Amino acid sequence: STFRCAGGTALKVENLGSSVKVTQDNGSVITLPALPAGSRSRYSEGQAALVFNGRDALFMITGRPPLECKR
């Protein structure tokens, strides 16, 4: 799925089952495991997290403002 975020950026999110692969506009890719295991709405590892709420998502990276995104 592609999410459009505040500020004009976009995220491509691919569900891998127990994790998601997030591709950012700049080409960087982050794979985030479900946290807690089995969750379908929260994914996090290290300094990055992605939280889903219906068709909305919040993408967070430590040291940057959170991105509010919509599918």
Side-chain angles (χ1 to χ4, degrees), residues 12 14-16 20 22-23 27 30-31 33 37 39 42 48 53 59 63:
K12 181 179 175 189
E14 183 180 349
N15 186 338
L16 304 175
V20 292
V22 180
T23 305
I30 300 172
T31 300
S39 174
R42 293 180 169 270
N53 183 13
F59 183 61

Side-chain angles (χ1 to χ4, degrees), residues 13-59:
V13 180
E14 183 180 349
N15 186 338
L16 304 175
S18 62
S19 63
V20 292
K21 181 170 82 171
V22 180
T23 305
Q24 300 173 71
D25 279 349
N26 63 8
S28 65
V29 177
I30 300 172
T31 300
L32 302 170
L35 190 68
S39 174
R40 293 180 178 255
S41 62
R42 293 180 169 270
Y43 299 84
S44 179
E45 181 170 69
Q47 298 185 4
L50 183 65
V51 179
F52 295 105
N53 183 13
R55 297 185 60 81
D56 298 336
L58 187 63
F59 183 61

